[in-house]
Amino acid sequence: MKKLILVTSAIVCFTFFSCDSPARFDQPQPDGEPILSSIPFQLKGSYASSDSTYFLLINDFSIVRKYHNLIRFNIDSLDKNLIIKGNTVEDTLNRQSYYYQRMGDSIIIRDEFMDTLFLFDQDHVLKRYKGYYFVNRKDENAGWELFQLNAKRNSIEMSTVANTQHLDSLQEPSSDTGPDHHKIYHLEKKQFKHFLRHDGFGNTSTFYRIQ
């Protein structure tokens, strides 16, 4: 889930933790583990990143991550692709519009979006293995996207696959790329266990409980 904004001649990738994970799986992971029919109590709550721009919201029905930020910059330094029209700033390059607030010679843009990681439907699967929770979300193009949740006393660590180097050492991708250039892997249970033991995800962010 990616959103690009061109600000002061720089492209900023507003994603959660990193740009899109390069790996997909041909079936929900880990293989052979039962599907959870409810979201465990120890996961439920509202969590925020240390800078309070990223949030993780978990209730009985869903797991959602949210981005919220206020971006302030001088009107005179606006990139040529950002145009003020009425009460919005239009990004002509990425075809996005943002409401803004005027403060002297600066404007403040409120930027936020939500990404649903899990719902109880056929496109989402939640599993538990070795003390971790695994959220599998079906990619609209091909395969399953995977997120690992590690619940601690007052925080949750969320991990995604940063690169495919370790996966490549375990298994050749079942297809070279999906439509969005994702490698798709088929892992047996023992291969997934090896992947987990050797920190195959490689990209972890921490959310701290706020409610």
Side-chain angles (χ1 to χ4, degrees), residues 15-198:
T15 61
F16 294 93
F17 326 126
S18 69
C19 291
D20 194 21
S21 171
R24 296 291 185 270
F25 299 88
D26 65 349
Q27 58 189 347
Q29 298 298 314
D31 184 32
E33 291 299 310
I35 297 173
L36 299 184
S37 59
S38 62
I39 295 177
F41 175 79
Q42 57 265 42
L43 291 180
K44 297 175 187 176
S46 299
Y47 305 83
S49 61
S50 59
D51 62 359
S52 296
T53 57
Y54 301 97
F55 299 87
L56 191 62
L57 311 174
I58 305 177
N59 57 34
D60 291 334
F61 312 104
S62 65
I63 301 176
V64 175
R65 55 184 178 175
K66 179 180 178 181
Y67 171 81
H68 170 83
N69 195 21
L70 298 177
I71 307 169
R72 180 173 181 168
F73 45 91
N74 191 282
I75 293 178
D76 294 333
S77 64
L78 281 177
D79 189 275
K80 64 181 179 180
N81 294 306
L82 295 175
I83 301 174
I84 296 177
K85 288 188 176 181
N87 62 347
T88 64
V89 175
E90 294 189 7
D91 180 354
T92 58
L93 181 66
N94 298 294
R95 298 180 181 178
Q96 299 281 351
S97 295
Y98 309 93
Y99 289 105
Y100 74 91
Q101 179 182 353
R102 181 73 179 262
M103 292 191 67
D105 58 356
S106 298
I107 62 173
I108 297 177
I109 293 176
R110 180 174 180 172
D111 185 53
E112 59 183 8
F113 61 92
M114 301 180 73
D115 181 20
T116 300
L117 301 182
F118 178 80
L119 293 171
F120 284 104
D121 62 20
Q122 63 184 4
D123 293 331
H124 301 83
V125 170
L126 180 63
K127 295 189 174 190
R128 186 177 187 274
Y129 179 65
K130 298 291 185 180
Y132 299 100
Y133 295 92
F134 296 93
V135 177
N136 294 265
R137 179 173 65 180
K138 195 170 186 179
D139 191 297
E140 61 183 6
N141 293 312
W144 293 81
E145 188 175 8
L146 182 64
F147 307 86
Q148 176 186 270
L149 299 180
N150 182 15
K152 298 191 173 183
R153 183 176 180 181
N154 290 306
S155 64
I156 287 183
E157 293 179 344
M158 175 177 282
S159 301
T160 57
V161 179
N163 61 71
T164 62
Q165 183 175 356
H166 189 62
L167 286 168
D168 289 337
S169 71
L170 293 173
Q171 179 69 260
E172 286 293 322
S174 56
S175 62
D176 291 336
T177 61
D180 291 327
H181 306 289
H182 300 126
K183 291 184 178 181
I184 302 174
Y185 295 87
H186 174 82
L187 293 187
E188 302 294 339
K189 182 72 166 289
K190 63 180 181 181
Q191 293 173 317
F192 185 83
K193 185 177 181 180
H194 187 279
F195 172 75
L196 188 61
R197 185 187 303 124
H198 291 82

